[in-house]
Amino acid sequence: MRRARPGAPPRGTGGRALTSVGAGADFDGRRAADRRDERTTGPEQTPVVSQERVQSKLWHITLCVSGAEIPLKEVRRGLEQLAHDHPFLLTSRYANDHAEIRYWEEARDLHDAAAVALRLWGEHRSSAGLPPWEIVGLEVIDRETYHQRIAEGYGPPPAAPVGVHPY
């Protein structure tokens, strides 16, 4: 995944950059109040309740888009530009009226991963020259579920080699 200053556009584009949802001030699992309690001295010292550290996880994202027919060359060019701007993309499959994008996202929870995924297409529509299609499907699964599906033989069809490929 490309890491950059928030709001910094990808090189060579005039558009906005997609950034992952920030972990926030409490990402390390401890609030500032808890830290103050640890430093408190005297008879009224409050015992600190340990909190589990919140860690980000990897989520496998499958984003499906669809819309009016567009020439295949234009679809491919847009998806290749998206993959160039954001090398975290694993694979894209496309036809003249729909496409599927698969990639891994690092986020605290499913809600954060889904929020980033739902913004991907719209925020890069103009900068990557993507078709004006709508998101028609989104699957977000954790790493363990993804590997379990693959091991049991009922997961998503094996991804084509990394890159942009026709259906």
Side-chain angles (χ1 to χ4, degrees):
M1 179 180 346
R2 176 185 174 280
R3 299 284 183 198
R5 286 182 296 117
R11 272 186 239 156
T13 67
R16 298 184 339 220
L18 177 70
T19 56
S20 294
V21 176
D26 64 343
F27 183 72
D28 67 354
R30 302 180 65 185
R31 296 187 316 261
D34 289 339
R35 286 189 211 115
R36 282 194 302 272
D37 289 344
E38 285 179 344
R39 287 182 258 137
T40 304
T41 57
E44 296 179 17
Q45 185 172 2
T46 306
V48 176
V49 177
S50 67
Q51 298 176 351
E52 280 189 34
R53 183 179 177 146
V54 177
Q55 295 183 0
S56 60
K57 294 173 54 174
L58 283 177
W59 300 89
H60 186 264
I61 309 291
T62 303
L63 182 69
C64 300
V65 294
S66 181
E69 289 189 11
I70 302 289
L72 286 176
K73 285 184 177 182
E74 290 182 33
V75 177
R76 181 178 182 91
R77 187 198 48 72
L79 290 172
E80 285 175 342
Q81 183 62 46
L82 181 63
H84 179 266
D85 291 346
H86 300 282
F88 59 86
L89 295 178
L90 287 177
T91 186
S92 298
R93 299 188 305 167
Y94 65 93
N96 62 351
D97 64 347
H98 65 282
E100 174 187 275
I101 300 168
R102 290 199 224 166
Y103 66 97
W104 290 97
E105 179 68 55
E106 184 176 355
R108 278 187 305 207
D109 56 27
L110 180 135
H111 298 284
D112 289 350
V116 172
L118 288 170
R119 291 193 322 253
L120 177 72
W121 191 262
E123 289 188 359
H124 293 283
R125 186 174 288 151
S126 62
S127 65
L130 298 170
W133 294 342
E134 293 184 27
I135 296 172
V136 295
L138 173 65
E139 180 183 57
V140 180
I141 57 174
D142 66 356
R143 186 176 183 196
E144 294 77 23
T145 303
Y146 175 82
H147 288 294
Q148 180 183 4
R149 284 183 178 182
I150 297 301
E152 293 175 357
Y154 67 90
V162 174
V164 177
H165 306 280
Y167 272 103

